[in-house]
Amino acid sequence: MKILVINCGSSSIKFKLFEMPEEKQIVEGVIEKIGEEISFFTLKKENEIRKEELKVKNHSECLEIIGKSLLETGVLKSLNEIKGVGHRVVHGGEGFDRSVVIDDFVIKRIEEYLDLAPLHNPHNLAGIKAAIKFFPESIQVAAFDTAFHTTIPEVAYIYGIPYEFYEKYKVRRYGFHGTSHRYVARRTAEIMGLGKYDINVVTCHLGNGCSITACKNGKSVDTSMGLTPLEGLLMGTRTGDIDPGVIFYLAEKEGISFDELNKIFNKKSGLLGISGLSNDFRNLMENIENPRVKLAIDIFCYRIKKYVGSYMAILGKVDAISFTAGIGENVPYVREKSLENLENFGIEIDKEKNEKMVGRKEGEISKDSSKIKVFVIPTNEELRIAFDTYQFVKNDE
Ligand code: ADP
């Protein structure tokens, strides 16, 4: 059974086609710079890469192009072969604690959450509407980034502002990267031979966006991102935790609008803002002798350590810490630095194992004597979404 997974951003659509239940990826691709003078379409099938320059106005046109290319390249004989389309939806508010089949009610609820994730949800919704039009025979499924975190208790999700703002506007911590944290928590339990609800694990998703989650008995009980993905760890271009007073101070000093500050905090801060060089970790590691780059990396690791420590205190007993995503899977330096000198807390990194665990390898990087086990677990959010979608299609047959 063929399942298509799509992830719509403001100016790009990423997609992967899977054969399920074999969990085999058939093709993946991306259309970038949607709506600009020239858009770029890349399609990757095994080792073959096809690149094209196009002009694409919107998400609807993108799906048409993706569909055509799957037919032209012989990947599909008919679009009807796609039995399900899984969509990554960033914000599911308080309403969605799992993936759901998309119907009018679900679309209405996602529309209600547009304000909560203005940078993401409108594009996710545009992708859903385009897919319904273009693949009318397929079951459409939404997988929410927030769903895994709906188990977080009130004490961790209510902010210290007048309670009426929660009642009126649902201002609270939601958390993101849920599909990834859930997968990594489940996989860590599996590797350790524990039941999925028998593990206490801290999961660290370190990609362009970064977040860290405390899972108690396999369920999320706290996470570093908040109402929006801006809170928590230092990220590629986002600030992470910051005194809100900085916003008022800068608005006054620089005479800039909230809109501009929003852009600065989301797009020009974090590793990029501090280093003044890049948000790409490969680039930063190559320039680590530059003091500002070193400072950015040090702050990045310091923040991870601070969260790991606080989540250990919340969980009481911790079985494992797991790293995932671009940086978590590929940068031993970050893993070592952020967990160094924690031997008294039961964390001992094995330097040799750590150095070798790169390039989407899965395995343990702690010493045999380490009370808390440390793992690297490559994430695959699209495959998890494909799996959820497959389950709905199978149940429908
Ligand atoms: P996204 O959040 O967009 O899914 P990724 O999980 O792909 O992001 O992570 C992107 C980050 O991971 C970037 O900072 C990138 O530089 C870093 N990264 C990816 N591969 C490597 C590598 N081999 N070595 C160092 N950093 C890497």
Side-chain angles (χ1 to χ4, degrees), residues 22-122:
E22 294 82 355
E23 305 198 348
K24 182 170 173 260
Q25 184 180 311
I26 306 169
V27 287
E28 67 177 298
V30 58
I31 300 182
E32 293 163 289
K33 298 191 184 282
I34 300 169
E36 292 188 25
E37 228 12 75
I38 304 171
S39 314
F40 300 97
F41 178 31
T42 313
L43 187 74
K44 210 164 122 191
K45 184 182 161 198
E46 286 157 11
N47 293 328
E48 200 184 304
I49 298 180
R50 187 173 127 162
K51 288 191 177 190
E52 246 180 279
E53 286 187 6
L54 308 156
K55 188 162 173 59
V56 190
K57 275 209 299 278
N58 51 38
H59 293 86
S60 178
E61 281 189 12
C62 285
L63 282 191
E64 208 172 320
I65 290 165
I66 293 168
K68 267 192 196 148
S69 73
L70 295 176
L71 294 171
E72 275 169 23
T73 50
V75 171
L76 296 177
K77 288 197 185 67
S78 151
L79 292 182
N80 290 341
E81 284 175 56
I82 296 179
K83 298 293 178 209
V85 183
H87 299 264
R88 179 181 180 202
V89 180
V90 168
H91 221 305
E94 287 186 319
F96 295 108
D97 64 355
R98 63 198 66 198
S99 299
V100 291
V101 173
I102 299 170
D103 56 15
D104 291 345
F105 170 77
V106 172
I107 291 185
K108 216 164 140 243
R109 294 295 293 272
I110 297 173
E111 279 168 347
E112 283 167 20
Y113 299 138
L114 292 186
D115 272 1
L116 283 175
L119 301 177
H120 299 98
N121 271 30

Side-chain angles (χ1 to χ4, degrees), residues 67-297:
K68 267 192 196 148
S69 73
L70 295 176
L71 294 171
E72 275 169 23
T73 50
V75 171
L76 296 177
K77 288 197 185 67
S78 151
L79 292 182
N80 290 341
E81 284 175 56
I82 296 179
K83 298 293 178 209
V85 183
H87 299 264
R88 179 181 180 202
V89 180
V90 168
H91 221 305
E94 287 186 319
F96 295 108
D97 64 355
R98 63 198 66 198
S99 299
V100 291
V101 173
I102 299 170
D103 56 15
D104 291 345
F105 170 77
V106 172
I107 291 185
K108 216 164 140 243
R109 294 295 293 272
I110 297 173
E111 279 168 347
E112 283 167 20
Y113 299 138
L114 292 186
D115 272 1
L116 283 175
L119 301 177
H120 299 98
N121 271 30
H123 312 296
N124 301 157
L125 195 61
I128 289 172
K129 289 185 172 170
I132 291 174
K133 200 172 96 191
F134 205 68
F135 302 104
E137 302 298 319
S138 312
I139 289 184
Q140 310 284 333
V141 171
F144 301 95
D145 265 28
T146 45
F148 182 60
H149 301 301
T150 49
T151 44
I152 289 178
E154 223 176 16
V155 69
Y157 74 64
I158 291 291
Y159 287 123
I161 52 175
Y163 194 76
E164 69 195 66
F165 293 132
Y166 170 61
E167 292 175 314
K168 259 179 131 163
Y169 307 117
K170 296 287 172 212
V171 172
R172 51 161 284 183
R173 173 182 315 288
Y174 289 95
F176 300 90
H177 293 141
T179 310
S180 177
H181 287 294
R182 179 179 59 146
Y183 169 69
V184 172
R186 301 284 180 267
R187 185 69 196 128
T188 308
E190 226 168 70
I191 296 173
M192 294 185 76
L194 297 169
K196 65 179 175 182
Y197 297 127
D198 297 327
I199 190 169
N200 285 1
V201 55
V202 177
T203 50
C204 310
H205 178 107
L206 312 177
N208 275 317
C210 302
S211 68
I212 181 163
T213 295
C215 304
K216 193 176 183 110
N217 299 325
K219 293 185 179 161
S220 172
V221 291
D222 204 352
T223 191
S224 58
M225 284 179 166
L227 173 75
T228 74
L230 198 51
E231 192 179 348
L233 299 175
L234 192 80
M235 305 179 215
T237 60
R238 298 191 192 116
T239 56
D241 291 336
I242 192 162
D243 174 0
V246 173
I247 299 171
F248 315 124
Y249 188 77
L250 281 181
E252 202 183 305
K253 283 280 174 203
E254 293 268 308
I256 46 179
S257 64
F258 285 128
D259 206 32
E260 278 171 89
L261 274 172
N262 195 358
K263 273 195 202 119
I264 294 172
F265 279 32
N266 272 292
K267 307 250 182 222
K268 296 187 178 167
S269 299
L271 292 166
L272 172 67
I274 297 169
S275 70
L277 180 77
S278 174
N279 58 314
D280 186 323
F281 225 89
R282 277 166 287 217
N283 200 345
L284 296 176
M285 288 305 290
E286 281 161 17
N287 291 282
I288 199 165
E289 70 293 343
N290 171 331
R292 285 258 299 281
V293 171
K294 173 83 170 44
L295 178 64
I297 294 175

